[in-house]
Structure formats: structure tokens, C-alpha cells
Amino acid sequence: MNDRTRGMLEMVAAMVISGTIGWLVVVSGRPVTQVVFWRCAFGALVLVPVCLARGYLRPGSITLRQALLAVAGGVAIVANWLLLFSAYEGASISIATAVYNTQPFMLVAMGALFLGERLTVAKVAWLLLPFGGMLLIVQGKPGAGAAHGNYLLGIALALGAAFFYALAALVAKQLKGVPPHLIALIHVVVGTVMLLPMALRADLPAGALPWATLATMGFVHTGLMYILLYGAIQKLPTHLTGALSFIYPIVAILVDRLAFGHHLHLSQIGGAALILVAAAGMTLGWPWRGTLPWGARKPSA
């Protein structure tokens, strides 16, 4: 098996694992702060030996400035997890995941504002498309048993999660040369320390099911997923990594339908499709003209 094929398999596995985390969050039945705490704590148990084996914990592997930036990124990642997991209750896993995929546009906007990155006409066009998708989703009906206010709150929480993910990605741009496994370890350690006071005040999970779901989220959906993801990124070209990343929202929507019976209304399907198509166009660098029906070139005479 060559590196490209192995990288594709690792990326597919990482995205499938990511797509099932919402199911575990709901099934665990635990408060979101406790879910994120144990995810970080169990994830650290996987990433510490990996970083030790690779020599990433030796003195000089990271500068003080880089460590502080990684800690700031960790705070943003933890906030991202807290908001996204909280969004599932009001907006459902499917809608929260679709709205969460607005983060590439937020990252592009932040890059233009803070890093002076140039905005092309194509990028601006892709930035406008998801707003239509968001309007369609907001006009949709909440899932069974959810009040409209909770639905809108879920959408707002998912947007907040997307913002903090984009912020973490912006910080990561300043950490070139730092091993990604080490960055991931710093993130989960930051999360463990941040949420430890709340975890100590809350009652410990009771029963095998909550512990099994929390351990799975830490060992598999954090430790193993990061290892697979970064292994794939090292082996694959950027465009292929970006293309395969869209397996995640598709799996999340399918899991939500199969596990909880949540189905999307027509306007929600249209809104999610607009967001995902725009995210794909932005990530993969599709030209605006010729990609969508209303952007197609007229045939020459």
C-alpha cells in the first residue's frame, strides 16, 4: 500500500470517527462541561505517549511564544467543543453540523482582517453563498420536542463554535514547524485544566454506559482521530485532504437520522446544501464562474 492510499484511508477513518461524536455526546447523558473534560483527559492519555515516542516532549521542541500561542488555541478549541456540543440539544446534530461548517468563511474573513490576506472575487462570492443557506435553515422548523427559541439558540451556539474553531485555526497558522501532535496535546491539557474545577463539583458519571461513551470520545474521537488526521495530512495533497473532510458532515447527518430519527425539512436541506457546497468551493478553490448554474459562462457563438 503506497502513502497516498494509506493517507486516504486514514483521512476517511478520521472523518467517519468525527461524524459519530454527536451521537456519543447525546447518548452519554452528561453535562457538556463534563463531556469535554473527560474527552480532554482521556485524549491526553493517548497523546502523551505518542508525543514521548516521537520525541516531541524534549526541551527545545517548542519556544515559549509558540507554547503560549498553542495555549490560546487550546482555549479556543475547548470553547468550540463546548458550544458545538451544546448546540445539539436545540438544533439537532444535523443542523448544528451544517451551520458549524461556516467556519471556513470565518477563517477567510479573519485572515483578511488580521493577517492581510487578499480576498479574491471568487472568495467573496463563496462567502456570500452560505448566508442564503443560513436564512433557509433559520426559517426551517425545529425538530420534534424542541421549541423555536431553543432551535435558534442551537443555531447561534453552532455559529459560535464555528467562530472559535476559525480562531484556533488562525492561531495555528502562527505555529508552523511545531509538531501537530504536540499542539493537540497542549489543547487537551488546556481543556483538562480549564474544566477541572467544574468536573470536581459535578457528580461522577454512574454506570457503564456514560463511562464507555466518555472514554470512547477521549481515546477514539480525540487521541486516535488526531493521529489518523495528522498522519493523513502528512501524506496527502491539500486539495485531497479538503475534499475528504466533507465526509464528516455527511456522516453526522446520516447518524442523526439513523440514531435519533431526525429528518431535515426541505428548507433545511437546501440551506445545508448551500453551506456545504460553498465550503467545498472555498476549501478546494473552485472557480465561481462555471461551478454553479447561475455562474456558468455563456457558450461562445
Side-chain angles (χ1 to χ4, degrees):
M1 184 185 297
N2 59 40
D3 276 355
R4 186 185 179 94
T5 302
R6 184 171 180 177
M8 289 178 66
L9 291 175
E10 289 173 342
M11 188 68 186
V12 169
M15 293 301 97
V16 170
I17 290 171
S18 296
T20 60
I21 194 169
W23 170 63
L24 289 174
V25 170
V26 175
V27 168
S28 73
R30 304 307 303 168
V32 169
T33 51
Q34 195 174 80
V35 169
V36 176
F37 169 78
W38 288 109
R39 179 186 187 183
C40 291
F42 285 128
L45 293 178
V46 176
L47 292 169
V48 165
V50 171
C51 289
L52 277 172
R54 291 172 174 258
Y56 296 156
L57 299 183
R58 294 173 184 167
S61 297
I62 186 170
T63 66
L64 177 59
R65 177 182 177 276
Q66 290 171 331
L68 292 175
L69 283 171
V71 168
V75 173
I77 282 291
V78 172
N80 153 65
W81 287 341
L82 290 170
L83 291 171
L84 180 61
F85 295 169
S86 299
Y88 294 154
E89 183 178 355
S92 83
I93 295 171
S94 301
I95 294 301
T97 303
V99 173
Y100 180 62
N101 273 273
T102 57
Q103 49 87 9
F105 314 106
M106 296 184 185
L107 179 58
V108 168
M110 288 181 184
L113 286 173
F114 301 114
L115 301 181
E117 295 179 353
R118 189 170 65 92
L119 277 178
T120 63
V121 174
K123 284 184 178 180
V124 172
W126 288 123
L127 281 169
L128 294 176
L129 188 60
F131 287 104
M134 283 297 306
L135 288 175
L136 288 172
I137 287 176
V138 168
Q139 291 173 1
K141 298 177 182 178
H148 193 69
N150 290 340
Y151 177 69
L152 295 179
L153 177 61
I155 291 174
L157 290 171
L159 283 171
F163 169 80
F164 279 106
Y165 183 89
L167 191 61
L170 192 71
V171 172
K173 285 176 175 283
Q174 312 303 311
L175 295 174
K176 292 180 180 178
V178 179
H181 298 79
L182 180 57
I183 297 173
L185 175 59
I186 293 172
H187 287 176
V188 294
V189 169
V190 166
T192 304
V193 173
M194 278 178 60
L195 300 175
L196 180 60
M198 289 180 239
L200 291 176
R201 285 198 299 268
D203 294 331
L204 287 174
L209 180 61
W211 280 116
T213 55
L214 295 173
T216 302
M217 275 187 275
F219 291 128
V220 178
H221 290 74
T222 305
L224 177 61
M225 192 276 292
Y226 270 122
I227 293 169
L228 290 170
L229 177 63
Y230 292 139
I233 290 172
Q234 291 170 353
K235 299 179 183 72
L236 297 176
T238 303
H239 73 276
L240 192 51
T241 303
L244 292 174
S245 68
F246 289 96
I247 294 173
Y248 157 59
I250 294 171
V251 170
I253 291 170
L254 288 175
V255 167
D256 196 26
R257 181 71 178 92
L258 294 174
F260 304 111
H262 293 157
H263 64 278
L264 300 180
H265 300 283
L266 188 60
S267 64
Q268 294 171 327
I269 293 172
L274 282 177
I275 291 172
L276 294 180
V277 168
M282 177 75 74
T283 303
L284 303 178
W286 292 346
W288 175 256
R289 293 178 63 84
T291 300
L292 298 173
W294 57 85
R297 296 177 184 272
K298 294 181 180 179
S300 57

